[in-house]
Amino acid sequence: MKKRVFSGIQPTGNIHIGNYLSAIKHWVASQPEYDNIFCIVDLHAITVPQDPKVLKAKSLELAALLFAAGIDPQQSVLFVQSHISAHSELAWILNCFIPMGWMQRMTQFKEKAGTQREQVSVGLFDYPALMAADILLYNTDEVPVGEDQKQHVELARDVAQRFNSLYGETFVVPRAVIPPSGARIMGLDDPTSKMSKSETNAGHAINLLDSPDEIRSKVMRATTDSLREIRFDENRPGVNNLLTIYEHFSGLSQSEIEAKFDGKGYADLKRELAEVIVEGLRPLQSRYRELTADPTHLNSLLSEGVSKIRPIAEKTLRLVQDRVGLG
Ligand code: AMP
Ligand code: TRP
């Protein structure tokens, strides 16, 4: 039996090469080994204000991008959270078993709410209960997340254990796995800060759907330094970041790359880098265009996924309802 792995990704912002190199590529590679469920978490997205049209378009765009990147509907399930109502239904029940104190300890809420604590939605506060429902509905063994989401997965564990001890074995107790730190890609405009989906500065990130010209222009404008030598060196974050991106897209080793650029200048490095990114993203972008040209097909891929896993979610929900005396 393969391990069940559940991953959630928000359909907001633009997916960039940092997301691709460190997360999406690993998801794709892990498909033969795990029983993967990938969930586009639109219900989580509405915990902060969203434009309805944009949200819907972004959910479909993300689905197409993930299929284009290699998520294989024969091996894995990729679906949109709001298409299975059991997520909301289980979240409500879990709400009634999560003590306020546990929720008040969640650090991400404190960061996201900032000074607006009285204005943000109850949903933003309750975000971890919905995330626990996502995970627990599918008898998930492992949840790959970044450090920032670990506390939420731990809350899902705690509520599963609490429920099991009150009502008898109901939930599989999941665990968070922090993937080995793959590529950490930094902003092109500021190589001391992580490339981020929410940063809006035009030169900051290379998004997976950027055109070749946009990619070239962003790379050519990337911040470097006033030295000359082209070497992997963490003390020179600009050049180091460009070389790291080059390493991932070219598949060459660090010493091969240093040899290749020996005696060359930053303009040469940037030109070559832009081309490996353009070529590296080309197949993904052309599959993306094919998928989005046929929305009926894209929607049918998503609904086939839903029909595979809805029975699992409903079975868990029925069991939980039965345990607590509902239904
Ligand atoms: P986020 O963009 O924060 O929703 O993250 C989605 C996934 O991409 C997570 O697995 C992150 O660890 C990864 N990720 C986000 N930004 C970067 C980055 N700049 N470099 C490498 N990985 C990243
Ligand atoms: N909160 C996660 C994030 O912002 C997304 C998410 C929602 C998730 N539900 C999940 C991740 C369940 C893993 C499992 O990145």
Side-chain angles (χ1 to χ4, degrees):
M1 277 280 279
K2 290 180 182 173
K3 278 195 181 134
R4 164 79 37 84
V5 176
F6 188 98
S7 310
I9 179 160
Q10 294 221 30
T12 48
N14 291 315
I15 305 292
H16 54 67
I17 56 171
N19 301 130
Y20 177 66
L21 295 175
S22 76
I24 300 174
K25 264 184 114 168
H26 292 289
W27 293 353
V28 170
S30 76
Q31 292 181 104
E33 202 182 330
Y34 295 105
D35 178 3
N36 279 308
I37 301 179
F38 301 104
C39 180
I40 297 176
V41 295
D42 55 350
L43 294 168
H44 279 106
I46 62 163
T47 56
V48 297
Q50 301 290 344
D51 177 316
K53 283 210 182 69
V54 174
L55 176 61
K56 211 165 200 172
K58 280 276 173 192
S59 297
L60 271 187
E61 176 191 296
L62 180 56
L65 258 177
L66 293 173
F67 284 130
I71 299 298
D72 171 8
Q74 302 300 322
Q75 297 190 69
S76 309
V77 168
L78 168 61
F79 78 110
V80 179
Q81 188 184 30
S82 63
H83 295 181
I84 298 188
S85 63
H87 290 252
S88 308
E89 295 173 73
L90 180 60
W92 175 258
I93 299 174
L94 295 180
N95 270 329
C96 302
F97 290 86
I98 299 173
M100 281 294 283
W102 291 6
M103 216 57 132
Q104 278 161 345
R105 282 199 287 276
M106 295 293 115
T107 55
Q108 181 170 286
F109 173 74
K110 293 179 198 165
E111 282 158 28
K112 283 197 181 171
T115 55
Q116 303 292 305
R117 279 240 194 150
E118 304 298 315
Q119 275 74 47
V120 295
S121 73
V122 175
L124 188 68
F125 180 68
D126 199 33
Y127 183 111
L130 178 60
M131 186 162 156
D134 298 341
I135 296 167
L136 298 180
L137 277 174
Y138 301 98
N139 310 318
T140 302
D141 300 300
E142 291 185 359
V143 188
V145 282
E147 274 301 330
D148 63 321
Q149 296 298 315
K150 197 168 162 222
Q151 196 185 30
H152 293 163
V153 181
E154 245 120 61
L155 185 119
R157 257 181 95 78
D158 291 343
V159 68
Q161 277 163 343
R162 183 190 180 98
F163 196 96
N164 287 349
S165 72
L166 286 169
Y167 294 106
E169 280 310 302
T170 307
F171 294 121
V172 171
V173 178
R175 69 187 189 94
V177 289
I178 311 289
S181 63
R184 190 173 145 82
I185 306 299
M186 313 305 282
L188 294 183
D189 56 342
D190 172 11
T192 60
S193 73
K194 214 172 102 162
M195 189 177 281
S196 156
K197 268 205 257 187
S198 47
E199 172 61 61
T200 49
N201 184 357
H204 174 77
I206 294 183
N207 300 318
L208 295 191
L209 295 175
D210 281 351
S211 69
D213 284 343
E214 281 169 313
I215 294 172
R216 292 186 187 107
S217 127
K218 287 178 182 179
V219 171
M220 295 315 284
R221 281 182 290 135
T223 304
T224 49
D225 54 39
S226 53
L227 301 175
R228 296 190 60 89
E229 213 187 340
I230 297 181
R231 256 190 314 111
F232 283 88
D233 178 355
E234 287 185 1
N235 297 317
R236 292 167 57 197
V239 176
N240 201 65
N241 190 37
L242 298 183
L243 287 170
T244 303
I245 301 172
Y246 192 89
E247 182 186 359
H248 282 87
F249 275 97
S250 68
L252 296 177
S253 70
Q254 299 201 349
S255 54
E256 285 168 330
I257 295 170
E258 287 177 350
K260 180 179 166 71
F261 290 108
D262 189 31
K264 298 211 175 136
Y266 290 165
D268 299 309
L269 168 63
K270 286 177 167 180
R271 264 194 298 275
E272 298 247 4
L273 174 61
E275 293 320 306
V276 290
I277 300 173
V278 167
E279 289 313 314
L281 296 181
R282 196 187 292 284
L284 183 154
Q285 294 190 347
S286 78
R287 278 197 297 274
Y288 173 84
R289 280 192 293 269
E290 280 164 30
L291 281 159
T292 47
D294 187 355
T296 315
H297 176 60
L298 179 57
N299 281 312
S300 78
L301 290 180
L302 289 171
S303 55
E304 279 162 30
V306 165
S307 39
K308 280 191 213 154
I309 58 168
R310 182 182 274 129
I312 309 173
E314 291 190 340
K315 187 167 171 213
T316 308
L317 181 64
R318 296 294 160 251
L319 177 63
V320 172
Q321 288 173 329
D322 185 58
R323 294 273 206 241
V324 301
L326 302 170

